[in-house]
Amino acid sequence: MTQPVTPELRSWLVSQLAAGHSVAALRQSMRAAGWQDAASDAALADIERGVGSPTLPALPKQARPMPGPDLDGAPLYLDAGDRRVHVLHTVTHPRVVVFGDLLADDECEALVAAAAKRLARSLTVETQTGGETLNVDRTSDGMFFERGENELVARIEQRIAHLLRWPLTFGEGLQVLRYAPGAQYRPHYDYFDPAEPGTPTILRRGGQRVGTLVMYLQEPERGGATVFPDIGLEVAPKRGTAVFFSYERPDPGTRTLHGGAPVLAGEKWVATKWLREREFT
């Protein structure tokens, strides 16, 4: 029997999301209290749409354009300017799209070869200061290409801008990462936490991040999926494919918690493009 989604439940979920609790944590608490996953999913969907009592607080609505492909008409393929890209999988909340054949094999190999000469231990943004720091949750090696640094990078960036309908200048430089056996990136959010003291400094260069595209350049033998714990999604790291997701506000309610599962055998190489709300300088 399906459990009813009450206004009290929806109101409680809104308050917990606003307090910073993840969807996964809320679902676990509800399960422990005897709620079915279907009921919590329905309540979260209602909150996103603003359904329910007129006095029920709703999550903030998207109030500005967002990056993303044109999925009107449920297309199987999309025009990326110089390449036809497959639509392999879509999720509505959060907006997640898995693309097939975004990169050619020779493009993947060329990016890996160019990046391999410049790898260093990956850093993460330090929101306390606005700088960068080592993070025990991120055990990859990586490097950044400058935007438009060479013909290959410029071509791929133009393709991304066309596919996601977002200005090329609103993107950060392309980052390439190598994950050796055992390397991983534990679940995290890509937006910058507004509560951290270093965030205003970070935002001066282009505002908030609003979207992420992860492209797979080399497949490991085992492991290395991109995982979304809040929605139970795992994307296999198949070469040439990519996963895109967007987040219209810097809030756990966007359900964009994600991470890179440990590589169990072989090496995984990825290229990541982060999109900002305005020109990145």
Side-chain angles (χ1 to χ4, degrees), residues 70-150:
D70 183 0
L71 298 177
D72 287 348
L76 298 180
Y77 301 93
L78 293 170
D79 175 21
D82 65 342
R83 192 170 182 82
R84 190 175 77 154
V85 175
H86 299 238
V87 178
L88 300 180
H89 189 83
T90 64
V91 178
T92 301
H93 178 56
R95 167 49 79 201
V96 179
V97 185
V98 180
F99 299 114
D101 206 27
L102 178 61
L103 300 177
D105 287 349
D106 61 342
E107 291 175 326
C108 294
E109 293 165 2
L111 279 177
V112 168
K117 309 167 187 176
R118 294 158 54 180
L119 292 179
R121 173 69 187 274
S122 297
L123 303 176
T124 57
V125 173
E126 174 52 75
T127 51
Q128 290 289 321
T129 64
E132 294 182 316
T133 186
L134 288 173
N135 187 330
V136 295
D137 290 338
R138 191 180 201 186
T139 51
S140 59
D141 297 317
M143 55 79 66
F144 273 96
F145 288 107
E146 293 292 330
R147 199 169 56 218
E149 178 174 324
N150 56 46

Side-chain angles (χ1 to χ4, degrees), residues 19 30 78 167 179 201 219 266 272 279:
M30 291 181 66
L78 293 170
Y179 291 84
T201 299
E219 304 169 10
T272 302
E279 183 175 1

